Every structure is written in structure tokens, then in C-alpha cells.
């Protein structure tokens, strides 16, 4: 069963053109590639690389596509072009290539491409406009910082940039005048603001931001260029909202995140509600980290990615005129197992009276009494109600799977995602102990509970085993952090500047970083550990996995390390997932047996 679950293909929406044709990412080959789906539902493969495609966008007014792709999971995006005027598989032609640096595709406009790059000093990301006709580049922003969101105004006079650089998760929004480079601060670092989506009004008079400026929850706000004021468009004090303005200025697509389930609705551009978008219940109508919803140029259609705990990602096209949706799935998509189930949502009381949101996935027969607590990465990410074949496979094995959003997670407001910052780091680990204490209330044998997590979730696995050695029977660590000190010392330069804000600074917080590192409590670890890592990981270096495994081997603690030479921060290639995860499942089967 696990092999078939891991082999289920997934789609994500990349773009939609003025004719209604779609660019989608599809991993039917085992590695995500770009395909075009025309208005009649016919598919055409556009790439056949041995590496994944990260993004793709149409160049308006042409049959040219810009593609971002990396090598071996190194995240050093390179930009290439595809000419779709011919038949068959188009040739991939280099556009911006230098594999020493990262290049991230921001937008494709008439005759030009916007991208960010860290090639100036490897740390800061500059915004560059490339003229497709003459090949000339112009720098629109080089003011430093980790640039996370960029959007240029329709009249090309302005660019709105959001960058990290303040404390913890705080971001700053900057308005840049393209002709002069003059910068206006929209929000400052002192405001402790997280900024999500950005979209301009079609007349370039203002820009919409999804932000938690002066509030706990993300709301859709308007920044007016005339008054230089931020005003509220759509807000909900109990849910995080994001918004995308239509290119014709008529409508606003709004997503609402409620406990990991994301609903979508159509509003007028002034925020007035029009209608909900009919989506299957219990899932997410916007997977923001990979694929924001995209409007067609005329504002008549939206293309988005949908997923739920019982359905792998697929694409939906929504028509504004008739308020109907059309599902786009791969022509060779297999039938799904009929016993997949939605989770039950619960709250777990923690050590200080806070309540940790959790999703509980139970086998149909109640399970065998064992449990796997699966912790997300980030740390400021959120476990959402989306497809995860690992959860489905663990449930099929008989385990109850508990998926928490420990303090520090997004999706529950600014206060919640700030509760693990800097010297509060170990409070999130204490949430794991609270979950362990709660397990008997759902019929789980506490002696047969394991931790599973990737990236920061991998740190949480190691921290749970190190700081709570009497609680956990085993751990599965995927690309996790063993030492906060060596992680910050050895990660990519651009990552260090971002992550020190969240974890602490090497220059001033080394004592705490050392104390909070599982590697420095390795003598306490007794539970067996299974570790998976990519050799090209630019975020959490392979040395993090190697040093914890070596330390445990010296102490005769059962430990195994799988390293994949063609992967980075996680396993993006199906062949590697099919190799690694069955071995991890067998490891849990052995150590959680009754």
C-alpha cells in the first residue's frame, strides 16, 4: 500500500494565459515537469528534465514560457525559455544561468522578466528586470535583505518588495519607484508584521497586502499611493486571510484559513462579499508555499491548486461569470484508495495553559495502540489539511498519527507564532511532552509513541529524544537540525541572515543556542533513530545528520542514516521516496511493535 500511495501523482497550478490555457507542474514521471493544458483539456509536455521544475510563467502576448529549475535539490534556480509555437517538446534555452547563485522567477511581463538573485554578495537578494528583446538587465532594488515577495505595478512605475530583516518573523514592505530607485517604507520592522500575498490594483493607484499590521490575524489591507495610508479591505478576527486582486479591477479572491482548512470566496474589489467558491470540504483551496492562485489576464478565470487529506494535489479552474469550477486532473491519474479518512481536530492542554491544535488520523479499526507524532518544519509553517502520503501510509500500518501545530506555527495568529522565538525555543519542545501525556485519552499506549519530522520538525524529533528521553520509543529525522550552533555556522549565507532572527544570533546568543541543541544532550538519547538527508541541502547541511549519527553510534544507540546524492532539503524525486520511506516504515514497525 505504501508504494502505491507514494506513487500517486500530484499537480500544481503555475499560470493561466489570456486564452485560458494552463501551465501545470506534474510529477507523473517521478520528477515534477511543466505541462500545458489547453481549454479543451488536451495535455502537452513542455519539459523532460532529470531535475524538478520550480516555477513557470507565460510571457503575455506571446507563446513563450519562462521556466525556473534547479539541480539535485540545490535550490539554485536557473531561468530558461520555451518557445511553444512549434510541435512536440520545445527546446529549453538558457536565459539566466549561473549555478553558483539563486535566481527566482518573480513575474513575466510584456517583453521582460522580473527575477531576484543573490549573485551580488550571496547574502542579499536584488530585484532585476531583464529585457527579453535586447537581453539588457536593470536593477530595480538592491537595498539588501531576504526578499520574499515582489510585485510590480501594472504601469511599471512602482515595485512593492517585502523583505526579512527584523526580529523573529517580522518583515518590511517597501515601495520602490522604478525610475529613480526612491524607497518608501510601507511597514517597518518595529511593527512586527508578517506579510503574505501582494497584488496591485490595475490602475496602479494602490496595492493589496495580506498582513497582520496592527492586529493578530492576517487581513487584506490596501496601501494607497496617493495618501500613503493602509486601510482595511477584508478582515476576520478569528481567521488568517489572503487576497488576490483581479487584473480587471472588478474582483478580489480571498482565502480564509481556519485550523488548517483553507476556503476561498469571491469578493468585489472593495471587499464586498460575492459568493463562496465551491470546493470539496475538508481541504485547502490555496497551497501558498508553492502555488498561489492565478488570475487570467481578463479577470474572467482563476486557476488554483487544491488538496485534502484524502486527495493528492490537483488543479481547479474557476469561472467568474458562471461561478463554476472545472477540475483538471492528469489523464492517467489512478483511482484513490476508498478508505482514506479526514482527521479529527482537537486541542491539547500544554504546560502553561496554552492549547496546542492537533489533527488526529485514526485507522478505521482504531489502530494497534501505537502513535506517530508528525511535526512540521518552519518553524513558522503550519500543518494544513492537505494530502500527505506518509500520513496515509502510517495509518494503513495501524498507527494513530497526531499532527500538531505547536507554538511557533503560523495559521493561528501573531501571538501564537511568536511563542517560540529565540529563548522560548524549548517551550515548543515542551508542547511535545504535553501531547505525549494526552495520548492515553485517544487510546494510545504511551510506551509505543514515536516522533517524525522534517527540517525544523527534524530538530523537534531530536530535541524530543534528547530532552524527553523517557517519553519516546523512536524517532525519524528528515533533514533535521542537530545543533543550532553548527546549523547557523554552516548553512547558506543567505539562510543564516534569516534564521538568526528566529533562533538567536551566534554572536550574542551562543550559550542558549548550545543549551537548546540536541547534539549537546546526546548522552541522554536512548531511543533508536532513523535519519534521511539530501547531500545537496542548502538549508540544513548534511553535516547535521552526520554528526548526530556519529555521536549516537559511539554510544551504541541504534541509528541509521540514508543519504541521497541527488537531493537537497527533502526528497523531491519519487525513486528516492520509494527507497527511503519504506525503510523508515519498517524501522517504526520494529520499534513500535507491541
Amino acid at each position: 500500500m505504501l508504494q502505491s500511495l507514494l506513487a500517486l501523482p500530484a499537480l500544481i497550478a503555475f499560470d493561466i494565459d489570456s486564452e485560458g490555457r494552463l501551465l501545470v507542474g506534474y510529477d507523473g514521471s517521478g520528477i515534477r515537469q511543466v505541462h500545458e493544458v489547453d481549454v479543451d483539456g488536451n495535455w502537452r509536455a513542455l519539459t523532460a528534465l532529470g531535475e524538478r521544475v520550480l516555477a513557470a510563467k507565460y510571457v503575455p502576448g506571446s507563446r513563450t514560457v519562462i521556466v525556473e529549475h534547479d539541480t539535485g535539490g540545490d535550490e539554485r534556480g536557473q531561468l530558461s525559455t520555451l518557445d511553444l509555437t512549434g510541435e512536440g517538446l520545445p527546446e529549453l534555452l538558457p536565459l539566466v544561468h549561473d549555478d553558483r547563485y539563486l535566481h527566482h522567477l518573480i513575474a513575466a511581463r510584456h517583453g521582460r522578466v522580473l527575477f531576484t538573485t543573490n549573485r551580488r554578495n550571496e547574502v542579499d537578494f536584488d530585484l532585476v528586470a531583464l529585457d527579453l528583446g535586447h537581453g539588457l538587465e536593470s536593477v530595480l532594488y538592491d537595498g539588501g535583505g531576504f526578499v520574499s515577495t515582489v510585485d510590480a505595478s501594472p504601469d511599471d512605475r512602482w515595485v512593492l518588495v517585502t523583505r526579512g530583516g527584523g526580529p523573529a518573523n517580522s518583515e518590511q514592505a517597501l515601495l520602490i519607484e522604478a525610475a529613480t530607485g526612491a524607497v518608501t517604507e510601507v511597514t517597518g520592522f518595529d511593527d512586527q508584521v508578517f506579510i503574505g500575498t501582494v497584488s496591485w490594483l490595475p490602475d496602479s493607484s494602490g496595492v493589496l497586502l495580506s498582513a497582520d499590521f496592527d492586529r493578530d490575524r492576517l487581513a487584506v489591507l490596501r496601501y494607497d499611493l496617493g495618501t500613503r495610508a493602509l486601510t482595511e479591505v477584508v478582515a476576520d478576527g478569528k481567521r488568517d486571510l489572503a487576497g488576490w486582486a483581479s487584473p480587471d479591477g472588478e474582483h478580489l479572491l480571498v482565502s480564509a484559513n481556519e485550523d488548517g482548512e483553507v476556503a476561498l470566496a469571491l469578493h468585489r474589489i472593495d471587499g464586498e462579499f460575492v459568493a463562496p467558491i465551491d470546493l470539496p470540504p475538508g481541504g485547502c483551496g490555496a497551497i501558498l508555499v508553492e502555488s498561489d492562485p492565478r488570475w487570467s489576464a481578463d479577470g474572467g478565470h482563476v486557476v488554483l491548486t487544491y488538496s485534502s487529506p484524502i486527495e493528492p494535489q490537483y488543479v481547479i479552474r474557476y469561472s467568474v461569470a458562471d461561478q463554476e469550477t472545472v477540475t483538471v486532473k492528469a489523464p492517467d491519474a489512478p483511482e484513490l484508495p476508498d478508505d482514506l479518512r479526514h482527521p479529527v481536530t482537537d486541542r491539547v492542554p500544554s504546560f502553561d495553559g496554552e492549547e496546542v491544535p492537533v489533527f488526529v488520523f485514526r485507522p478505521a479499526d482504531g489502530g494497534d495502540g501505537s502513535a506517530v507524532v508528525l511535526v512540521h518544519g518552519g518553524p513558522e509553517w503550519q500543518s494544513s489539511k492537505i494530502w500527505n502520503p506518509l500520513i496515509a501510509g502510517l495509518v494503513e500500518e495501524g498507527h494513530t498519527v497526531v499532527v500538531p501545530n505547536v507554538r511557533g506555527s503560523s495559521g493561528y495568529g501573531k501571538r501564537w507564532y511568536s511563542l517560540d522565538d529565540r529563548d522560548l525555543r524549548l517551550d515548543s519542545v515542551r508542547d511535545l511532552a504535553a501531547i505525549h501525556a494526552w495520548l492515553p485519552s485517544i487510546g494510545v499506549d504511551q510506551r509505543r509513541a514515536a516522533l517524525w519530522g522534517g527540517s525544523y520538525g527534524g530538530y523537534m524529533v531530536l530535541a524530543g529524544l534528547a530532552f524527553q528521553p523517557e517519553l519516546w520509543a523512536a524517532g525519524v529525522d528528515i533533514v533535521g537540525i542537530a545543533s543550532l550552533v553548527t546549523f547557523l555556522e554552516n548553512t547558506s549565507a543567505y539562510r543564516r541572515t534569516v534564521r538568526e532572527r528566529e533562533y538567536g544570533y551566534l554572536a550574542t546568543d551562543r550559550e542558549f543556542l548550545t543549551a537548546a541543541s540536541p547534539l549537546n544532550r546526546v548522552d541522554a538519547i536512548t531511543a533508536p533513530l532513523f535519519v534521511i538527508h539530501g547531500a545537496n541541502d542548502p538549508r540544513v547541511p548534511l553535516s547535521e545528520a552526520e554528526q548526530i549519527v556519529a555521536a549516537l553510534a559511539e554510544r551504541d544507540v541504534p541509528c541509521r542514516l540514508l543519504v541521497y546524492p541527488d537531493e537537497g532539503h527533502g526528497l523531491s524525486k519519487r525513486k528516492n521516496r520509494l527507497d527511503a520511506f519504506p525503510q523508515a516504515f519498517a524501522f517504526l514497525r520494529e520499534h513500535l511493535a507491541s
Side-chain angles (χ1 to χ4, degrees):
M1 173 63 78
L2 177 61
Q3 296 278 339
S4 62
L5 290 170
L6 291 172
L8 288 172
L11 290 175
I12 68 168
F14 281 144
D15 205 0
I16 182 170
D17 74 2
S18 57
E19 304 298 321
R21 291 174 290 227
L22 306 180
L23 291 179
V24 300
Y26 175 55
D27 65 355
S29 66
I31 305 172
R32 186 169 65 198
Q33 302 296 304
V34 186
H35 295 248
E36 184 176 57
V37 184
D38 68 22
V39 292
D40 294 324
N42 300 311
W43 281 59
R44 177 187 179 187
L46 301 184
T47 60
L49 301 170
E51 303 291 348
R52 62 180 175 171
V53 172
L54 302 174
K57 295 183 185 296
Y58 287 110
V59 176
S62 74
R63 289 290 286 150
T64 299
V65 169
I66 310 298
V67 175
E68 179 187 344
H69 48 96
D70 72 352
T71 301
D74 63 9
E75 300 183 12
R76 295 182 190 137
Q78 309 298 308
L79 306 185
S80 300
T81 63
L82 297 169
D83 180 354
L84 306 191
T85 57
E87 300 285 332
L89 190 72
E91 183 181 2
L92 194 72
L93 299 175
L95 180 66
V96 180
H97 275 220
D98 187 335
D99 60 13
R100 296 172 296 176
Y101 307 111
L102 283 78
H103 312 90
H104 177 52
L105 176 61
I106 298 297
R109 310 294 284 267
H110 285 278
R112 71 172 186 160
V113 171
L114 301 182
F115 66 95
T116 55
T117 175
N118 68 339
R119 64 190 179 195
R120 176 166 55 87
N121 61 11
E122 299 188 26
V123 176
D124 297 310
F125 283 77
D126 300 340
L127 174 62
V128 179
L130 171 63
D131 185 299
L132 292 173
H134 301 91
L136 299 177
E137 292 185 356
S138 57
V139 177
L140 302 183
Y141 170 78
D142 60 359
F146 182 82
V147 174
S148 55
T149 305
V150 180
D151 201 15
S153 63
D155 64 6
D156 286 330
R157 288 187 58 199
W158 308 94
V159 178
L160 191 100
V161 170
T162 69
R163 64 171 186 171
N169 299 290
S170 184
E171 294 182 304
Q172 183 182 39
L174 302 174
L175 181 68
I176 302 163
E177 189 172 21
T180 66
V183 177
T184 301
E185 186 177 284
V186 177
T187 64
F189 288 134
D190 292 341
D191 299 325
Q192 292 287 299
V193 174
F194 175 78
I195 302 169
T197 58
V198 172
S199 59
W200 282 88
L201 300 177
D203 63 359
S204 301
S205 65
V207 61
L208 300 183
L209 308 174
S210 175
D212 54 12
F213 179 78
D214 197 29
R215 65 194 67 222
D216 186 58
R217 291 287 188 160
L218 294 171
V220 182
L221 310 176
R222 171 176 173 161
Y223 179 75
D224 187 90
L225 268 66
T227 65
R228 300 297 168 99
L230 272 172
T231 56
E232 183 179 290
V233 180
V234 187
D236 184 332
K238 296 183 178 180
R239 300 184 297 176
D240 281 345
L241 304 183
W244 298 265
S246 65
D248 62 358
E250 294 293 321
H251 292 101
L252 173 66
L253 179 69
V254 176
S255 72
N257 181 344
E258 185 169 7
D259 217 2
E261 184 173 342
V262 180
L264 291 169
L266 190 68
H267 291 243
R268 299 292 179 195
I269 198 67
D270 62 2
E272 179 187 355
F273 178 81
V274 176
I277 293 180
D278 185 22
L279 299 174
C284 289
I287 301 174
L288 304 182
V289 73
E290 285 191 304
S291 175
D292 278 358
R294 297 280 298 179
W295 283 96
S296 62
D298 62 359
H301 291 85
V302 173
V303 60
L304 59 102
T305 305
Y306 178 82
S307 176
S308 81
I310 64 171
E311 294 179 284
Q313 294 170 206
Y314 59 91
V315 170
I316 291 175
R317 178 166 38 203
Y318 173 76
S319 169
V320 173
D322 56 23
Q323 296 181 9
E324 292 184 354
T325 58
V326 175
T327 297
V328 179
K329 294 186 177 182
D332 57 348
E335 291 293 322
L336 294 171
D338 57 10
D339 58 350
L340 297 173
R341 307 174 71 189
H342 287 278
V344 173
T345 300
D346 211 331
R347 293 292 188 272
V348 176
S350 197
F351 67 94
D352 56 356
E354 298 285 355
E355 292 189 327
V356 181
V358 296
F359 309 141
V360 181
F361 295 80
R362 300 293 297 272
D365 62 0
D368 64 6
S370 63
V372 178
V373 179
L374 194 151
V375 191
H376 66 72
E380 68 286 354
W381 188 231
Q382 179 187 19
S383 287
S384 302
K385 293 176 182 176
I386 60 174
W387 172 249
N388 187 332
L390 298 175
I391 292 175
L394 288 167
V395 170
E396 179 68 23
E397 288 271 307
H399 308 300
T400 294
V401 181
V402 179
V403 182
N405 279 303
V406 297
R407 67 191 66 206
S409 302
S410 60
Y412 298 90
K414 182 188 299 186
R415 188 192 71 85
W416 186 250
Y417 75 59
S418 300
L419 287 179
D420 71 336
D421 290 346
R422 307 281 285 278
D423 57 359
L424 300 177
R425 177 65 44 212
L426 293 178
D427 285 354
S428 62
V429 182
R430 295 176 73 181
D431 284 344
L432 296 180
I435 293 168
H436 186 274
W438 170 84
L439 289 176
S441 70
I442 58 170
V444 168
D445 181 352
Q446 289 174 305
R447 298 168 300 174
R448 299 169 57 215
L451 293 170
W452 181 304
S455 190
Y456 176 75
Y459 164 81
M460 291 289 282
V461 169
L462 298 176
L465 300 188
F467 289 93
Q468 303 154 1
E470 71 283 0
L471 301 185
W472 305 104
V476 177
D477 158 30
I478 303 170
V479 298
I481 300 167
S483 166
L484 293 172
V485 173
T486 58
F487 157 66
L488 291 172
E489 288 176 337
N490 298 322
T491 190
S492 300
Y494 73 94
R495 297 289 304 179
R496 184 180 308 111
T497 61
V498 176
R499 283 302 171 217
E500 280 191 312
R501 296 183 295 127
E502 170 77 20
Y503 295 120
Y505 292 86
L506 288 169
T508 57
D509 303 307
R510 184 177 289 266
E511 182 177 353
F512 172 74
L513 292 169
T514 299
S517 295
L519 186 64
N520 291 295
R521 289 182 57 90
V522 71
D523 288 338
I525 298 177
T526 58
L529 180 68
F530 195 95
V531 182
I532 300 169
H533 218 101
N536 305 318
D537 194 336
R539 304 188 186 196
V540 180
L542 175 59
S543 54
E544 290 299 301
E546 292 172 331
Q547 63 185 350
I548 191 68
V549 169
L552 291 176
E554 288 180 4
R555 292 159 177 80
D556 294 324
V557 176
C559 188
R560 187 172 179 198
L561 170 63
L562 297 181
V563 178
Y564 292 88
D566 57 348
E567 295 281 11
H569 196 61
L571 302 183
S572 66
K573 296 181 172 66
R574 183 179 299 149
K575 67 179 179 65
N576 294 331
R577 297 195 297 269
L578 289 173
D579 180 71
F581 293 134
Q583 295 184 64
F585 273 49
F587 165 84
L588 290 181
R589 197 177 306 127
E590 174 187 356
H591 294 290
L592 297 185
S594 57

